[in-house]
Amino acid sequence: MNKTNGKVYFVGGGPGDPELLTLKAKRIIEESDVVIYADSLVPEEVVSYANDKAEVYGSKTMALPQIMEITLKAVSEGKTVARVQSGDPSIYGAILEQMRILESEDIDYEIIPGVSSAFAAAAVLKAELTVPEISQSIIMTRAEGRVSLPPGEELKSLASHGCSLVIFLSVTRMTKIVRELRSAGYSKDTPIAVAYRVGWPEELVIRGTLTDISAKVRDAKITLQAVIIVGQAVNPDVRLPDSDRPEQRASSHLYSETYTHLYRKASRRSRSSAKDKDKAVSGVDSVKA
Ligand SMILES: C[S@@+](CC[C@H](N)C(=O)[O-])C[C@H]1O[C@@H](n2cnc3c(N)ncnc32)[C@H](O)[C@@H]1O
């Protein structure tokens, strides 16, 4: 199909820490003839693996036509292009319009997944985003701003589910976010965390509640590159053992000795005690781990 031997890779560059690149992403950066990286969100260290002969471009000052001009020229010369995006390319990566052009030109391309800032933030917060009995779903979204949201995706309506929320691209709208979450029914002491530049040397994590988070973010002067996570998932107390509070008691079936699944039978002793105890335990329906 491809008219030349050139190929484009959309590479997930991860949140910023070069050690969070996948081995495949690193290899493709090393082997590519042209590397175009989103230098507003991807630090230079991530593309430092490019070979000495590679042309390396930062794309933060470029519009789509310029990016595609460089890309199409390289491909027409049979070169390989690594388009390095922040986090995972499938989340707000703006790759769709690039893929459409490549499709129309019959150019071969591939997507290499990366560690999203959502998951890097959950990691620094030491959070499991799926808290048994509290939230078994995660909604990834953004607040409405210059980009309008499709009907039904307003934060207020998504928040009505009460599950873990990961909000991108919205740290300048904390007051509006808090207002919408409150009107969707989140209590004023709902835990919320803001993780700025996760994986960068200047990484900063702010924890709070819907009552105080706006002021904390304002005081820290964070206006960009932060991911917001809302819900009991970011309540540090869920990690504390031996509490009567429900969010600290529930745990997953996954490794429960009272739970039979495809690869393991519940122990007999635990099966009998489970009848009484396990009512408080929730978890997964099928297990592949
Ligand atoms: C254009 S989106 C790209 C998201 C990216 N594809 C991902 O999976 O993380 C940019 C937004 O992602 C979040 N983001 C990206 N990198 C980040 C990082 N290192 N730390 C915190 N948030 C980050 C911020 O919300 C930022 O406004």
Side-chain angles (χ1 to χ4, degrees):
M1 285 283 233
N2 196 7
K3 288 182 207 152
T4 71
N5 290 326
K7 180 164 178 175
V8 177
Y9 290 92
F10 295 102
V11 179
D17 178 351
E19 286 194 299
L20 289 178
L21 274 176
T22 64
L23 294 176
K24 193 164 189 173
K26 179 172 176 279
R27 177 178 62 73
I28 286 164
I29 293 169
E30 283 167 350
E31 291 175 0
S32 289
D33 304 297
V34 174
V35 176
I36 309 173
Y37 74 111
D39 51 343
S40 53
L41 289 164
V42 177
E44 208 177 344
E45 294 73 50
V46 165
V47 292
S48 65
Y49 298 112
N51 68 67
D52 292 343
K53 291 195 205 111
E55 295 166 41
V56 179
Y57 300 91
S59 63
K60 76 176 171 206
T61 57
M62 295 185 198
L64 184 62
Q66 201 181 346
I67 295 169
M68 293 317 293
E69 190 185 321
I70 297 167
T71 303
L72 297 181
K73 179 173 177 293
V75 173
S76 72
E77 294 165 356
K79 293 178 176 171
T80 299
V81 178
R83 175 77 180 102
V84 184
Q85 315 270 145
S86 74
D88 183 88
S90 70
I91 303 171
Y92 304 113
I95 57 173
L96 203 49
E97 51 267 48
Q98 300 173 66
M99 291 194 286
R100 286 187 191 125
I101 295 171
L102 299 180
E103 291 278 352
S104 72
E105 298 284 333
D106 237 353
I107 290 167
D108 195 11
Y109 64 90
E110 194 175 325
I111 301 175
I112 311 301
V115 176
S116 173
S117 57
F119 304 122
V124 295
L125 288 161
K126 294 192 167 67
E128 174 168 346
L129 295 179
T130 50
V131 187
E133 290 189 23
I134 306 283
S135 169
Q136 288 292 283
S137 309
I138 304 157
I139 291 179
M140 292 190 181
T141 188
R142 64 185 297 172
E144 190 152 46
R146 285 204 297 169
V147 174
S148 55
L149 298 172
E153 291 196 21
E154 302 81 12
L155 194 52
K156 190 174 162 187
S157 72
L158 296 180
S160 66
H161 294 282
C163 60
S164 298
L165 286 175
V166 180
I167 308 172
F168 293 82
L169 293 156
S170 306
V171 73
T172 52
R173 299 192 168 81
M174 286 308 302
T175 309
K176 183 170 182 265
I177 289 171
V178 168
R179 196 170 50 238
E180 294 197 19
L181 295 177
R182 289 285 289 123
S183 64
Y186 279 66
S187 66
K188 60 184 185 338
D189 57 359
T190 300
I192 180 167
V194 173
Y196 166 73
R197 287 211 160 168
V198 179
W200 293 57
E202 56 272 48
E203 172 182 295
L204 180 67
V205 170
I206 300 176
R207 290 178 184 272
T209 63
L210 292 186
T211 306
D212 58 13
I213 196 71
S214 298
K216 286 182 172 179
V217 167
R218 201 170 42 243
D219 290 350
K221 297 188 170 52
I222 294 174
T223 56
L224 45 76
Q225 220 173 330
V227 80
I228 302 161
I229 306 187
V230 188
Q232 289 301 330
V234 291
N235 177 357
D237 287 354
V238 296
R239 287 184 264 128
L240 299 176
D242 303 331
S243 165
D244 286 339
R245 288 167 58 178
E247 69 270 24
Q248 290 168 238
R249 221 178 37 227
S251 51
S252 163
H253 279 317
L254 186 52
Y255 299 108
S256 165
E257 53 176 4
T258 65
Y259 190 67
T260 296
H261 60 65
L262 197 57
Y263 302 104
R264 179 170 48 77
K265 269 203 160 34
S267 71
R268 196 178 301 186
R269 178 180 52 81
S270 66
R271 266 201 306 266
S272 52
S273 62
K275 283 189 184 129
D276 307 322
K277 263 172 48 187
D278 224 27
K279 283 177 193 150
V281 177
S282 77
V284 292
D285 294 331
S286 66
V287 174
K288 296 200 177 81

